[in-house]
PDB file of all heavy atoms in Angstrom:
ATOM      1  N   VAL A 189       1.737 -10.103 -40.290  1.00 98.00           N
ATOM      2  CA  VAL A 189       2.214 -11.309 -39.625  1.00 98.00           C
ATOM      3  C   VAL A 189       3.678 -11.490 -39.962  1.00 98.00           C
ATOM      4  O   VAL A 189       4.090 -11.368 -41.123  1.00 98.00           O
ATOM      5  CB  VAL A 189       1.451 -12.569 -40.124  1.00 98.00           C
ATOM      6  CG1 VAL A 189       2.100 -13.842 -39.607  1.00 98.00           C
ATOM      7  CG2 VAL A 189      -0.004 -12.521 -39.692  1.00 98.00           C
ATOM      8  N   VAL A 190       4.490 -11.758 -38.953  1.00 98.00           N
ATOM      9  CA  VAL A 190       5.883 -12.092 -39.172  1.00 98.00           C
ATOM     10  C   VAL A 190       6.022 -13.580 -38.865  1.00 98.00           C
ATOM     11  O   VAL A 190       5.492 -14.058 -37.866  1.00 98.00           O
ATOM     12  CB  VAL A 190       6.821 -11.295 -38.241  1.00 98.00           C
ATOM     13  CG1 VAL A 190       8.248 -11.806 -38.314  1.00 98.00           C
ATOM     14  CG2 VAL A 190       6.782  -9.825 -38.570  1.00 98.00           C
ATOM     15  N   SER A 191       6.735 -14.323 -39.710  1.00 98.00           N
ATOM     16  CA  SER A 191       7.057 -15.677 -39.285  1.00 98.00           C
ATOM     17  C   SER A 191       8.429 -15.632 -38.656  1.00 98.00           C
ATOM     18  O   SER A 191       9.395 -15.149 -39.223  1.00 98.00           O
ATOM     19  CB  SER A 191       7.002 -16.667 -40.440  1.00 98.00           C
ATOM     20  OG  SER A 191       7.918 -16.322 -41.459  1.00 98.00           O
ATOM     21  N   ARG A 192       8.475 -16.087 -37.410  1.00 98.00           N
ATOM     22  CA  ARG A 192       9.721 -16.086 -36.657  1.00 98.00           C
ATOM     23  C   ARG A 192      10.246 -17.494 -36.553  1.00 98.00           C
ATOM     24  O   ARG A 192       9.478 -18.451 -36.496  1.00 98.00           O
ATOM     25  CB  ARG A 192       9.478 -15.588 -35.206  1.00 98.00           C
ATOM     26  CG  ARG A 192       8.789 -14.260 -35.118  1.00 98.00           C
ATOM     27  CD  ARG A 192       9.011 -13.676 -33.742  1.00 98.00           C
ATOM     28  NE  ARG A 192       8.356 -14.400 -32.664  1.00 98.00           N
ATOM     29  CZ  ARG A 192       8.337 -13.957 -31.411  1.00 98.00           C
ATOM     30  NH1 ARG A 192       8.966 -12.844 -31.084  1.00 98.00           N
ATOM     31  NH2 ARG A 192       7.719 -14.644 -30.476  1.00 98.00           N
ATOM     32  N   ILE A 193      11.556 -17.585 -36.517  1.00 98.00           N
ATOM     33  CA  ILE A 193      12.164 -18.929 -36.494  1.00 98.00           C
ATOM     34  C   ILE A 193      13.197 -18.981 -35.367  1.00 98.00           C
ATOM     35  O   ILE A 193      13.985 -18.058 -35.223  1.00 98.00           O
ATOM     36  CB  ILE A 193      12.907 -19.201 -37.810  1.00 98.00           C
ATOM     37  CG1 ILE A 193      12.113 -18.698 -39.030  1.00 98.00           C
ATOM     38  CG2 ILE A 193      13.289 -20.656 -37.924  1.00 98.00           C
ATOM     39  CD1 ILE A 193      10.980 -19.542 -39.470  1.00 98.00           C
ATOM     40  N   SER A 194      13.157 -20.069 -34.625  1.00 98.00           N
ATOM     41  CA  SER A 194      14.147 -20.229 -33.579  1.00 98.00           C
ATOM     42  C   SER A 194      14.270 -21.721 -33.273  1.00 98.00           C
ATOM     43  O   SER A 194      13.301 -22.463 -33.456  1.00 98.00           O
ATOM     44  CB  SER A 194      13.672 -19.487 -32.328  1.00 98.00           C
ATOM     45  OG  SER A 194      14.559 -19.734 -31.254  1.00 98.00           O
ATOM     46  N   PRO A 195      15.426 -22.157 -32.802  1.00 98.00           N
ATOM     47  CA  PRO A 195      15.512 -23.547 -32.380  1.00 98.00           C
ATOM     48  C   PRO A 195      14.475 -23.840 -31.284  1.00 98.00           C
ATOM     49  O   PRO A 195      13.961 -24.936 -31.179  1.00 98.00           O
ATOM     50  CB  PRO A 195      16.936 -23.685 -31.822  1.00 98.00           C
ATOM     51  CG  PRO A 195      17.693 -22.592 -32.528  1.00 98.00           C
ATOM     52  CD  PRO A 195      16.723 -21.467 -32.717  1.00 98.00           C
ATOM     53  N   SER A 196      14.174 -22.830 -30.476  1.00 98.00           N
ATOM     54  CA  SER A 196      13.157 -22.992 -29.457  1.00 98.00           C
ATOM     55  C   SER A 196      12.654 -21.622 -29.005  1.00 98.00           C
ATOM     56  O   SER A 196      13.418 -20.656 -28.981  1.00 98.00           O
ATOM     57  CB  SER A 196      13.741 -23.698 -28.231  1.00 98.00           C
ATOM     58  OG  SER A 196      12.872 -23.567 -27.129  1.00 98.00           O
ATOM     59  N   PHE A 197      11.360 -21.536 -28.686  1.00 98.00           N
ATOM     60  CA  PHE A 197      10.808 -20.293 -28.171  1.00 98.00           C
ATOM     61  C   PHE A 197      10.548 -20.384 -26.666  1.00 98.00           C
ATOM     62  O   PHE A 197       9.823 -19.573 -26.098  1.00 98.00           O
ATOM     63  CB  PHE A 197       9.534 -19.923 -28.902  1.00 98.00           C
ATOM     64  CG  PHE A 197       9.761 -19.441 -30.323  1.00 98.00           C
ATOM     65  CD1 PHE A 197       9.619 -20.294 -31.407  1.00 98.00           C
ATOM     66  CD2 PHE A 197      10.189 -18.137 -30.557  1.00 98.00           C
ATOM     67  CE1 PHE A 197       9.873 -19.869 -32.694  1.00 98.00           C
ATOM     68  CE2 PHE A 197      10.433 -17.694 -31.849  1.00 98.00           C
ATOM     69  CZ  PHE A 197      10.267 -18.555 -32.930  1.00 98.00           C
ATOM     70  N   VAL A 198      11.147 -21.392 -26.024  1.00 99.00           N
ATOM     71  CA  VAL A 198      10.962 -21.553 -24.584  1.00 99.00           C
ATOM     72  C   VAL A 198      11.637 -20.398 -23.848  1.00 99.00           C
ATOM     73  O   VAL A 198      12.732 -19.997 -24.199  1.00 99.00           O
ATOM     74  CB  VAL A 198      11.475 -22.919 -24.105  1.00 99.00           C
ATOM     75  CG1 VAL A 198      11.531 -23.024 -22.602  1.00 99.00           C
ATOM     76  CG2 VAL A 198      10.570 -24.022 -24.683  1.00 99.00           C
ATOM     77  N   ARG A 199      10.951 -19.866 -22.841  1.00 98.00           N
ATOM     78  CA  ARG A 199      11.437 -18.692 -22.112  1.00 98.00           C
ATOM     79  C   ARG A 199      11.630 -19.018 -20.626  1.00 98.00           C
ATOM     80  O   ARG A 199      11.138 -20.033 -20.171  1.00 98.00           O
ATOM     81  CB  ARG A 199      10.358 -17.591 -22.205  1.00 98.00           C
ATOM     82  CG  ARG A 199      10.054 -17.176 -23.607  1.00 98.00           C
ATOM     83  CD  ARG A 199       8.538 -17.199 -23.863  1.00 98.00           C
ATOM     84  NE  ARG A 199       8.264 -17.044 -25.305  1.00 98.00           N
ATOM     85  CZ  ARG A 199       8.253 -15.892 -25.924  1.00 98.00           C
ATOM     86  NH1 ARG A 199       8.459 -14.796 -25.279  1.00 98.00           N
ATOM     87  NH2 ARG A 199       8.057 -15.850 -27.244  1.00 98.00           N
ATOM     88  N   PHE A 200      12.264 -18.109 -19.916  1.00 99.00           N
ATOM     89  CA  PHE A 200      12.375 -18.309 -18.447  1.00 99.00           C
ATOM     90  C   PHE A 200      10.974 -18.546 -17.889  1.00 99.00           C
ATOM     91  O   PHE A 200      10.762 -19.404 -17.049  1.00 99.00           O
ATOM     92  CB  PHE A 200      13.001 -17.100 -17.756  1.00 99.00           C
ATOM     93  CG  PHE A 200      14.461 -16.843 -18.024  1.00 99.00           C
ATOM     94  CD1 PHE A 200      15.145 -17.540 -19.003  1.00 99.00           C
ATOM     95  CD2 PHE A 200      15.156 -15.890 -17.270  1.00 99.00           C
ATOM     96  CE1 PHE A 200      16.485 -17.299 -19.237  1.00 99.00           C
ATOM     97  CE2 PHE A 200      16.501 -15.647 -17.494  1.00 99.00           C
ATOM     98  CZ  PHE A 200      17.154 -16.337 -18.485  1.00 99.00           C
ATOM     99  N   GLY A 201      10.046 -17.735 -18.375  1.00 98.00           N
ATOM    100  CA  GLY A 201       8.666 -17.806 -17.866  1.00 98.00           C
ATOM    101  C   GLY A 201       7.986 -19.151 -18.155  1.00 98.00           C
ATOM    102  O   GLY A 201       6.980 -19.487 -17.493  1.00 98.00           O
ATOM    103  N   SER A 202       8.507 -19.915 -19.110  1.00 99.00           N
ATOM    104  CA  SER A 202       7.933 -21.220 -19.407  1.00 99.00           C
ATOM    105  C   SER A 202       8.139 -22.151 -18.207  1.00 99.00           C
ATOM    106  O   SER A 202       7.325 -23.054 -17.971  1.00 99.00           O
ATOM    107  CB  SER A 202       8.605 -21.861 -20.629  1.00 99.00           C
ATOM    108  OG  SER A 202       8.604 -20.971 -21.719  1.00 99.00           O
ATOM    109  N   PHE A 203       9.236 -21.926 -17.465  1.00 99.00           N
ATOM    110  CA  PHE A 203       9.505 -22.766 -16.284  1.00 99.00           C
ATOM    111  C   PHE A 203       8.857 -22.167 -15.043  1.00 99.00           C
ATOM    112  O   PHE A 203       8.339 -22.862 -14.192  1.00 99.00           O
ATOM    113  CB  PHE A 203      11.025 -22.895 -16.096  1.00 99.00           C
ATOM    114  CG  PHE A 203      11.709 -23.450 -17.297  1.00 99.00           C
ATOM    115  CD1 PHE A 203      12.319 -22.629 -18.217  1.00 99.00           C
ATOM    116  CD2 PHE A 203      11.672 -24.817 -17.548  1.00 99.00           C
ATOM    117  CE1 PHE A 203      12.923 -23.144 -19.368  1.00 99.00           C
ATOM    118  CE2 PHE A 203      12.278 -25.356 -18.698  1.00 99.00           C
ATOM    119  CZ  PHE A 203      12.899 -24.499 -19.612  1.00 99.00           C
ATOM    120  N   GLU A 204       8.866 -20.816 -15.005  1.00 99.00           N
ATOM    121  CA  GLU A 204       8.300 -20.146 -13.838  1.00 99.00           C
ATOM    122  C   GLU A 204       6.831 -20.494 -13.620  1.00 99.00           C
ATOM    123  O   GLU A 204       6.387 -20.601 -12.467  1.00 99.00           O
ATOM    124  CB  GLU A 204       8.424 -18.641 -13.986  1.00 99.00           C
ATOM    125  CG  GLU A 204       9.811 -18.064 -13.875  1.00 99.00           C
ATOM    126  CD  GLU A 204       9.767 -16.546 -14.051  1.00 99.00           C
ATOM    127  OE1 GLU A 204       9.830 -16.098 -15.210  1.00 99.00           O
ATOM    128  OE2 GLU A 204       9.629 -15.830 -13.061  1.00 99.00           O
ATOM    129  N   ILE A 205       6.092 -20.647 -14.713  1.00 99.00           N
ATOM    130  CA  ILE A 205       4.668 -20.884 -14.549  1.00 99.00           C
ATOM    131  C   ILE A 205       4.407 -22.187 -13.764  1.00 99.00           C
ATOM    132  O   ILE A 205       3.547 -22.211 -12.878  1.00 99.00           O
ATOM    133  CB  ILE A 205       3.906 -20.914 -15.904  1.00 99.00           C
ATOM    134  CG1 ILE A 205       2.400 -20.936 -15.721  1.00 99.00           C
ATOM    135  CG2 ILE A 205       4.338 -22.041 -16.812  1.00 99.00           C
ATOM    136  CD1 ILE A 205       1.789 -19.678 -15.252  1.00 99.00           C
ATOM    137  N   PHE A 206       5.191 -23.217 -14.047  1.00 98.00           N
ATOM    138  CA  PHE A 206       4.949 -24.498 -13.337  1.00 98.00           C
ATOM    139  C   PHE A 206       5.442 -24.408 -11.902  1.00 98.00           C
ATOM    140  O   PHE A 206       4.796 -24.947 -10.995  1.00 98.00           O
ATOM    141  CB  PHE A 206       5.608 -25.665 -14.098  1.00 98.00           C
ATOM    142  CG  PHE A 206       5.039 -25.780 -15.484  1.00 98.00           C
ATOM    143  CD1 PHE A 206       5.856 -25.639 -16.601  1.00 98.00           C
ATOM    144  CD2 PHE A 206       3.673 -25.996 -15.661  1.00 98.00           C
ATOM    145  CE1 PHE A 206       5.315 -25.717 -17.878  1.00 98.00           C
ATOM    146  CE2 PHE A 206       3.130 -26.077 -16.945  1.00 98.00           C
ATOM    147  CZ  PHE A 206       3.957 -25.943 -18.064  1.00 98.00           C
ATOM    148  N   ALA A 207       6.565 -23.750 -11.690  1.00 98.00           N
ATOM    149  CA  ALA A 207       7.056 -23.603 -10.332  1.00 98.00           C
ATOM    150  C   ALA A 207       6.048 -22.801  -9.493  1.00 98.00           C
ATOM    151  O   ALA A 207       5.775 -23.168  -8.341  1.00 98.00           O
ATOM    152  CB  ALA A 207       8.427 -22.896 -10.343  1.00 98.00           C
ATOM    153  N   SER A 208       5.449 -21.777 -10.097  1.00 98.00           N
ATOM    154  CA  SER A 208       4.503 -20.954  -9.342  1.00 98.00           C
ATOM    155  C   SER A 208       3.270 -21.742  -8.942  1.00 98.00           C
ATOM    156  O   SER A 208       2.580 -21.438  -7.975  1.00 98.00           O
ATOM    157  CB  SER A 208       4.092 -19.714 -10.149  1.00 98.00           C
ATOM    158  OG  SER A 208       3.104 -20.062 -11.091  1.00 98.00           O
ATOM    159  N   ARG A 209       2.985 -22.795  -9.728  1.00 98.00           N
ATOM    160  CA  ARG A 209       1.800 -23.612  -9.422  1.00 98.00           C
ATOM    161  C   ARG A 209       2.174 -24.880  -8.647  1.00 98.00           C
ATOM    162  O   ARG A 209       1.342 -25.783  -8.522  1.00 98.00           O
ATOM    163  CB  ARG A 209       1.106 -23.987 -10.736  1.00 98.00           C
ATOM    164  CG  ARG A 209       0.462 -22.784 -11.425  1.00 98.00           C
ATOM    165  CD  ARG A 209       0.010 -23.141 -12.840  1.00 98.00           C
ATOM    166  NE  ARG A 209      -0.814 -22.067 -13.418  1.00 98.00           N
ATOM    167  CZ  ARG A 209      -1.131 -21.984 -14.712  1.00 98.00           C
ATOM    168  NH1 ARG A 209      -0.685 -22.912 -15.540  1.00 98.00           N
ATOM    169  NH2 ARG A 209      -1.873 -21.006 -15.137  1.00 98.00           N
ATOM    170  N   GLN A 210       3.426 -24.923  -8.209  1.00 98.00           N
ATOM    171  CA  GLN A 210       3.943 -26.122  -7.511  1.00 98.00           C
ATOM    172  C   GLN A 210       3.707 -27.388  -8.335  1.00 98.00           C
ATOM    173  O   GLN A 210       3.500 -28.481  -7.789  1.00 98.00           O
ATOM    174  CB  GLN A 210       3.299 -26.295  -6.128  1.00 98.00           C
ATOM    175  CG  GLN A 210       3.920 -25.393  -5.042  1.00 98.00           C
ATOM    176  CD  GLN A 210       3.082 -24.161  -4.780  1.00 98.00           C
ATOM    177  OE1 GLN A 210       1.876 -24.263  -4.651  1.00 98.00           O
ATOM    178  NE2 GLN A 210       3.741 -23.017  -4.710  1.00 98.00           N
ATOM    179  N   ASP A 211       3.737 -27.233  -9.646  1.00 98.00           N
ATOM    180  CA  ASP A 211       3.561 -28.392 -10.546  1.00 98.00           C
ATOM    181  C   ASP A 211       4.939 -28.902 -10.965  1.00 98.00           C
ATOM    182  O   ASP A 211       5.404 -28.676 -12.077  1.00 98.00           O
ATOM    183  CB  ASP A 211       2.727 -27.953 -11.759  1.00 98.00           C
ATOM    184  CG  ASP A 211       2.517 -29.061 -12.773  1.00 98.00           C
ATOM    185  OD1 ASP A 211       2.992 -30.190 -12.519  1.00 98.00           O
ATOM    186  OD2 ASP A 211       1.896 -28.796 -13.798  1.00 98.00           O
ATOM    187  N   THR A 212       5.614 -29.563 -10.013  1.00 98.00           N
ATOM    188  CA  THR A 212       6.979 -30.001 -10.263  1.00 98.00           C
ATOM    189  C   THR A 212       7.073 -31.052 -11.359  1.00 98.00           C
ATOM    190  O   THR A 212       8.076 -31.135 -12.072  1.00 98.00           O
ATOM    191  CB  THR A 212       7.621 -30.523  -8.951  1.00 98.00           C
ATOM    192  OG1 THR A 212       7.367 -29.559  -7.934  1.00 98.00           O
ATOM    193  CG2 THR A 212       9.110 -30.728  -9.079  1.00 98.00           C
ATOM    194  N   ALA A 213       6.011 -31.832 -11.509  1.00 98.00           N
ATOM    195  CA  ALA A 213       6.050 -32.908 -12.525  1.00 98.00           C
ATOM    196  C   ALA A 213       6.163 -32.303 -13.919  1.00 98.00           C
ATOM    197  O   ALA A 213       7.021 -32.701 -14.720  1.00 98.00           O
ATOM    198  CB  ALA A 213       4.791 -33.768 -12.419  1.00 98.00           C
ATOM    199  N   THR A 214       5.293 -31.319 -14.235  1.00 98.00           N
ATOM    200  CA  THR A 214       5.347 -30.721 -15.566  1.00 98.00           C
ATOM    201  C   THR A 214       6.644 -29.905 -15.738  1.00 98.00           C
ATOM    202  O   THR A 214       7.259 -29.887 -16.809  1.00 98.00           O
ATOM    203  CB  THR A 214       4.111 -29.834 -15.823  1.00 98.00           C
ATOM    204  OG1 THR A 214       2.954 -30.554 -15.381  1.00 98.00           O
ATOM    205  CG2 THR A 214       3.953 -29.527 -17.290  1.00 98.00           C
ATOM    206  N   LEU A 215       7.040 -29.249 -14.637  1.00 98.00           N
ATOM    207  CA  LEU A 215       8.310 -28.505 -14.685  1.00 98.00           C
ATOM    208  C   LEU A 215       9.447 -29.429 -15.109  1.00 98.00           C
ATOM    209  O   LEU A 215      10.243 -29.124 -16.022  1.00 98.00           O
ATOM    210  CB  LEU A 215       8.586 -27.919 -13.290  1.00 98.00           C
ATOM    211  CG  LEU A 215       9.941 -27.266 -13.089  1.00 98.00           C
ATOM    212  CD1 LEU A 215      10.040 -25.970 -13.885  1.00 98.00           C
ATOM    213  CD2 LEU A 215      10.205 -26.952 -11.605  1.00 98.00           C
TER     214      LEU A 215
END
Side-chain angles (χ1 to χ4, degrees):
V189 171
V190 171
S191 61
R192 305 199 293 187
I193 319 283
S194 174
S196 166
F197 288 99
V198 170
R199 301 130 191 278
F200 290 10
S202 308
F203 304 98
E204 288 180 273
I205 189 73
F206 300 118
S208 79
R209 292 169 170 167
Q210 280 101 46
D211 178 2
T212 311
T214 316
L215 173 69

